[in-house]
Amino acid sequence: MLIAFNKPFNVLCQFTDRSQPPRATLAGFGLPPDVYAAGRLDYDSEGLLLLTDDGRLANRLTDPKHKEAKTYWVQVEGTVTDEALQSLRRGVQLNDGPTLPAGVEILEAPSLWERVPPVRFRKTVPDAWLAITLREGRNRQVRRMTAAVGLPTLRLVRVSMGPHRLDDLQPGQWRQID
């Protein structure tokens, strides 16, 4: 079984949380029993999370040797320059080594659901949206890459993993994939 789930902002990619106070987890969304996340999506990120009850499928979806493309829509703070775009496309140096080249395009602001709480709006600070496609998955990689080129991430939404897309799923909704 493979499930596409639109993970809301500030939800953990696991079914339990031992912290105090406990945070929201996948347990609150009526997902089928015996599925688990194939990969991670940060607590403060949103969008497509794949879940499965098949360990081999989970491995195929997440193992870096398969280099499945993952696409994110990223709202960044600042003015996007050609230099920043070229750096992201070539790969940037992070504290754990250089990243692989990324696909990066400037987006018009996408039509998304409201985030709760909303991203803080500041009239004097410009922002922009980027579509970033990676073929690796380091911890908080997109956020670290945009910060490395002077564009801190304000909002991050994963819209696809390999051939699987978020499409019209709203936060907290899920569907089974054939």
Side-chain angles (χ1 to χ4, degrees):
M1 173 184 326
L2 183 61
I3 301 291
F5 175 65
N6 186 345
K7 186 191 91 60
F9 180 74
N10 285 353
V11 170
L12 288 176
C13 283
Q14 56 198 44
F15 285 87
T16 58
D17 180 33
R18 296 178 196 265
S19 64
Q20 291 300 323
R23 297 169 289 181
T25 69
L26 298 177
F29 295 96
L31 291 158
D34 301 322
V35 297
Y36 53 93
R40 309 292 291 175
L41 195 56
D42 294 331
Y43 180 71
D44 54 353
S45 297
E46 308 164 71
L48 182 63
L49 180 67
L50 297 178
L51 298 106
T52 184
D53 59 356
D54 181 334
R56 287 191 316 216
L57 176 58
N59 184 58
R60 170 141 175 17
L61 292 167
T62 60
D63 191 318
K65 73 179 179 187
H66 296 293
K67 297 202 181 338
E68 287 281 356
K70 295 179 266 318
T71 299
Y72 303 84
W73 290 348
V74 187
Q75 183 182 20
V76 295
E77 181 179 281
T79 301
V80 178
T81 63
D82 286 338
E83 180 182 335
L85 290 173
Q86 289 309 314
S87 292
L88 291 167
R89 289 174 181 147
R90 281 191 308 269
V92 297
Q93 182 67 39
L94 300 177
N95 62 355
D96 56 351
T99 66
L100 293 175
V104 183
E105 302 297 329
I106 296 176
L107 287 178
E108 291 295 320
S111 176
L112 292 171
W113 54 88
E114 291 294 317
R115 193 186 86 176
V116 179
V119 172
R120 184 171 55 127
F121 175 74
R122 298 187 303 176
K123 276 197 267 189
T124 59
V125 179
D127 65 38
W129 283 88
L130 301 173
I132 299 178
T133 300
L134 303 178
R135 293 191 178 273
E136 60 182 334
R138 298 187 205 176
N139 186 34
R140 300 184 70 80
Q141 182 174 348
V142 171
R143 292 175 190 281
R144 294 189 299 141
M145 287 175 70
T146 61
V149 298
L151 299 167
T153 294
L154 299 172
R155 187 174 183 188
L156 190 149
V157 180
R158 184 162 53 201
V159 294
S160 70
M161 289 179 69
H164 309 293
R165 300 197 49 80
L166 189 59
D167 294 329
D168 59 352
L169 282 178
Q170 295 300 299
Q173 292 182 337
W174 58 272
R175 70 172 174 271
Q176 188 166 338
I177 299 172
D178 295 329

